[in-house]
Amino acid sequence: MTLSTDFERVSVALENAFTISRDTQTHAENVIVRITDDGGMTGIGGAAPAPHYGDTPETVEAVLPDLLAVVEEVGDPHALAEIETRMAETVRGNPAARTAVSIALHDLAARRLGVPLHRLWGIDPEAAPRTSYTIGLDTADRVREKTEAAVEAGYPILKIKLGTDRDRELIEAVRSAAPEATIRVDANEAWSPSETVRKSEWLAEYGVEFIEQPVPAENVEGLRVAYERSALPIAADESCVTLPDIPRIADRCDIANLKLMKTGGIREARRMIAAARAHGLEVMLGCMIETNASIAAAAQLAPLVDYADLDGSLLLASDPFTGPDLTGGDVRLEADANGTGVRESEE
């Protein structure tokens, strides 16, 4: 079999500027990978590089030629274990680039077999949890407006970015605009352990479900303190990047937040889900701000986890790709959408 490969960089505007405790984003810079077999069938994958983890669009573009050379040399999209092993040997780090290739390979392999990826794995598409919809940092008035819009659009689970000296004001704005919504908060490493404990008490009064990554990732003992003393469950995100992190956080949090862009590939993500389960952790599947070139693949994994935060494509002003329908938060995996379900948008 002969495989041909190519990639391109796309810049997609966000519907609203997206601010967390450490930066603001107005555009998503993604790199799209396509792998085509000798019958003309194409698999699509996407990289959403995060500088926080050492990835940039430039580094992704720099290493993709070497990664895609491995794909072309092996020449078989079904040889997933061999290709992902050889990619990891060829390029150290750069998980977003390896993930993009992994997604495109899985998409192509499932398309060639004429089945959705979730069916290839034998998992129940009806088991996927609803995804949350994220409200970034802003003024209290804008947060209230964004919350009202999300509720009107039918999203019952909201994730609120915190990490300011106005955190209580922001939560009050959200809860007043969405009295029935499930609320999760994400501090993106902005709090100290004692601040986490203190804030968890009043966050619990507002009916918050859990707190995501309250303390800096390098403060492993601080994460333990937060976990042991918090009035709410703790999810680890920046503290949970690769498979070896799972046993390190197992006694420091309740929930492991996995993201394809951190793991380096779909096979590794599935191993991390299994490892987290073995260590007694619940699992959340998150994302960066991504097009459906990668969100579609994450959606296929959703039935394996407890919580989903897969709104990356929902935050875009427009998406050059379509994928599984996530409007209203439901993850709808169609039985006749082969591969990951990603398609080029017709617009």
Side-chain angles (χ1 to χ4, degrees):
M1 184 187 306
T2 301
L3 297 178
S4 61
T5 64
D6 66 80
F7 64 90
E8 66 170 328
R9 182 169 166 178
V10 298
S11 180
V12 186
L14 276 62
E15 186 171 3
N16 296 290
F18 187 78
T19 300
I20 64 174
S21 61
R22 55 177 174 258
D23 60 41
T24 296
Q25 192 172 348
T26 60
H27 287 73
E29 298 286 333
N30 285 194
V31 181
I32 308 303
V33 170
R34 294 177 178 84
I35 301 174
T36 304
D37 67 14
D38 46 17
M41 188 171 288
T42 299
I44 299 171
H52 189 72
Y53 299 107
D55 274 332
T56 67
E58 291 76 19
T59 61
V60 170
E61 291 176 307
V63 301
L64 273 175
D66 291 335
L67 296 176
L68 294 175
V70 171
V71 173
E72 293 180 6
E73 184 177 339
V74 174
D76 181 359
H78 300 281
L80 296 165
E82 178 184 0
I83 292 174
E84 291 195 9
T85 297
R86 289 181 57 177
M87 285 198 302
E89 294 170 347
T90 300
V91 174
R92 300 292 182 183
N94 299 103
R98 290 185 286 117
T99 293
V101 178
S102 170
I103 292 171
L105 285 166
H106 280 79
D107 184 35
L108 178 56
R111 288 193 199 212
R112 286 171 54 84
L113 295 173
V115 295
L117 191 53
H118 67 265
R119 182 163 178 77
L120 185 62
W121 293 331
I123 60 180
D124 178 9
E126 299 297 323
R130 279 178 164 169
T131 180
S132 56
Y133 184 89
T134 305
I135 309 293
L137 286 174
D138 214 318
T139 65
D141 286 342
R142 282 292 291 140
V143 164
R144 185 178 293 105
E145 291 171 5
K146 292 176 184 178
T147 301
E148 290 171 348
V151 170
E152 182 156 343
Y155 294 99
I157 305 173
L158 304 176
K159 183 165 92 166
I160 315 304
K161 294 291 187 177
L162 297 181
T164 73
D165 56 4
R166 301 177 291 110
D167 285 345
R168 186 190 286 265
E169 180 185 8
L170 296 179
I171 286 296
E172 287 176 347
V174 171
R175 183 49 87 195
S176 65
E180 303 300 324
T182 297
I183 296 177
R184 302 163 182 171
V185 303
D186 183 1
N188 286 113
E189 307 180 271
W191 298 340
S192 68
S194 60
E195 188 178 7
T196 302
V197 174
R198 184 173 67 255
K199 289 188 173 182
S200 74
E201 294 173 355
W202 59 258
L203 285 169
E205 295 174 2
Y206 285 93
V208 169
E209 186 176 23
F210 59 77
I211 300 170
E212 184 178 341
Q213 197 63 47
V215 304
E218 62 271 16
N219 189 357
V220 292
E221 286 309 307
L223 185 63
R224 186 200 297 274
V225 169
Y227 164 64
E228 291 178 346
R229 301 181 185 177
S230 170
L232 294 170
I234 300 293
D237 179 4
E238 286 89 343
S239 294
C240 180
V241 181
T242 60
L243 182 60
D245 291 326
I246 297 293
R248 286 198 284 265
I249 64 167
D251 60 351
R252 292 171 169 81
C253 66
D254 303 276
I255 305 162
N257 184 10
L258 315 183
K259 296 177 180 175
L260 288 181
M261 295 303 144
K262 296 189 296 186
T263 64
I266 291 177
R267 288 170 55 82
E268 186 72 353
R270 294 190 68 190
R271 282 190 283 266
M272 289 184 69
I273 292 170
R277 297 286 191 210
H279 282 84
L281 295 170
E282 290 188 297
V283 182
M284 178 161 64
L285 188 59
C287 65
M288 309 302 180
I289 299 182
E290 312 171 17
T291 72
N292 271 302
S294 47
I295 290 293
Q300 300 291 323
L301 284 168
L304 298 177
V305 304
D306 304 286
Y307 309 100
D309 179 33
L310 300 178
D311 62 345
S313 64
L314 300 173
L315 302 176
L316 302 176
S318 64
D319 192 334
F321 302 93
T322 61
D325 184 7
L326 306 182
T327 54
D330 289 322
V331 180
R332 303 172 184 87
L333 300 176
E334 299 178 19
D336 58 352
N338 296 339
T340 66
V342 65
R343 298 293 183 268
E344 307 271 357
S345 292
E346 296 179 359
E347 297 180 0

